[in-house]
Amino acid sequence: MSLIHISDLTANDIASIWELAERQDMRIEGRVAWSFEGNGIRTRTSFIQAFQELGLRFVELPNLLKTAERTTDLAAYLDDFYDIYVIRERNHERLAEFAGNSCRAVVNALSSQGHPCEVLTDAYYVNQAIAPIQQARICLWGPPTNVMRSWHELAVVMGFQVTQLCEAAFHEAKPNVRYASSIESSFDIVITDGWPESYANADWSLTTGHLEQMGMPHLLPTPPFTIGREIAFDPVSYAGFTGYRQKNLLLPVQKAMLFYLLNHKKL
């Protein structure tokens, strides 16, 4: 089993991962190859600690998928050395192709099309601290990003609805996603993400006024956030800021993911 999209999992898989995240005693044998494009400060930190705490042996393979080598050859040469790959690679198609060619589990630690590890952690927090995920009123603020796409997938898998507030030009017909261009209701939590480089519209910078209209919900700005772009003010000053401590949950959730995937190896 690989985790390239959240839709690779079932609702039972996710429930099992979240249950494992509560455990302190997980240990498992295995060999990890990890490769991280760009900085990935938080995800890199938590995954390396997860490897260590699980007792996994791990090796960094910088720019694993940047080579011109075919993914089928890379997988065939490397699979005998590793039990699981954790890869942060913007080229989603190449990452998915590698996962399809490998007989080992592959974890998408971020690609252009999804950020499943981040979203499974954020949703775990919502489910534990705010409201059961099927009942939580969740607002995704801004244009589509990899984080938003993973939330869309999670909503389908777990059977709940999210609202995405963004310009009408970005509205799509998607199951379990309600698009809107204006604030029409209250929410329990608002989630932002960094804007694509090609996008800039000051009208869609989230303000405290917007939050007041939404009933002063929890605010989860996906880091690294940029004040003056997706968010107009310093979110740390907001009473409902849910950030620093919430991201500490990356470690237990990522440990649980690795443990679960290694116990559900590809056939």
Side-chain angles (χ1 to χ4, degrees), residues 198-211:
S198 60
Y199 181 79
N201 185 340
D203 291 340
W204 282 95
S205 289
L206 183 69
T207 67
T208 54
H210 293 133
L211 293 168

Side-chain angles (χ1 to χ4, degrees), residues 190 206-217 219 233 238:
V190 176
L206 183 69
T207 67
T208 54
H210 293 133
L211 293 168
E212 288 172 4
Q213 287 181 265
M214 290 186 271
M216 303 300 284
L219 172 61
F233 64 99
Y238 176 64

Side-chain angles (χ1 to χ4, degrees), residues 1-4 31-33 79 82-87 98-99 102-108 257-258 260-266:
M1 175 186 288
S2 288
L3 176 52
I4 304 302
R31 303 158 300 173
V32 183
D79 278 359
Y82 303 105
D83 299 298
I84 192 167
Y85 301 89
V86 178
I87 303 174
F98 177 77
S102 175
C103 63
R104 306 301 187 193
V106 180
V107 176
N108 175 4
M257 288 178 206
L258 293 165
Y260 190 80
L261 294 174
L262 284 166
N263 276 295
H264 292 76
K265 295 178 180 178
K266 291 185 180 181

Side-chain angles (χ1 to χ4, degrees), residues 168-214:
F170 296 118
H171 294 190
E172 302 178 62
K174 277 192 169 185
N176 299 67
V177 181
R178 184 179 75 87
Y179 284 92
S181 299
S182 60
I183 299 168
E184 301 166 355
S185 60
S186 297
F187 295 97
D188 297 310
I189 187 166
V190 176
I191 298 163
T192 68
D193 192 20
W195 287 348
E197 290 183 7
S198 60
Y199 181 79
N201 185 340
D203 291 340
W204 282 95
S205 289
L206 183 69
T207 67
T208 54
H210 293 133
L211 293 168
E212 288 172 4
Q213 287 181 265
M214 290 186 271

Side-chain angles (χ1 to χ4, degrees), residues 63-199:
N63 299 312
L64 171 60
L65 297 181
K66 296 301 185 188
T67 173
E69 205 168 346
R70 297 182 304 177
T71 58
T72 184
D73 296 324
L74 281 171
Y77 283 123
L78 294 174
D79 278 359
D80 286 343
F81 294 95
Y82 303 105
D83 299 298
I84 192 167
Y85 301 89
V86 178
I87 303 174
R88 187 181 180 100
E89 168 62 53
R90 296 296 304 180
N91 187 333
H92 179 86
E93 291 72 21
R94 187 156 169 83
L95 174 61
E97 183 182 84
F98 177 77
N101 284 315
S102 175
C103 63
R104 306 301 187 193
V106 180
V107 176
N108 175 4
L110 178 146
S111 74
S112 61
Q113 294 301 308
H115 203 346
C117 302
E118 189 94 6
V119 169
L120 285 172
T121 300
D122 294 348
Y124 172 72
Y125 172 80
V126 172
N127 191 66
Q128 294 291 103
I130 297 178
I133 196 69
Q134 284 85 2
Q135 300 170 23
R137 298 170 301 168
I138 299 168
C139 172
L140 309 176
W141 181 274
T145 64
N146 52 3
V147 168
M148 307 300 189
R149 294 184 189 100
S150 287
W151 270 105
H152 297 168
E153 292 174 11
L154 182 69
V156 172
V157 171
M158 300 203 74
F160 64 90
Q161 186 182 70
V162 294
T163 297
Q164 182 150 358
L165 276 164
C166 59
E167 290 184 72
F170 296 118
H171 294 190
E172 302 178 62
K174 277 192 169 185
N176 299 67
V177 181
R178 184 179 75 87
Y179 284 92
S181 299
S182 60
I183 299 168
E184 301 166 355
S185 60
S186 297
F187 295 97
D188 297 310
I189 187 166
V190 176
I191 298 163
T192 68
D193 192 20
W195 287 348
E197 290 183 7
S198 60
Y199 181 79

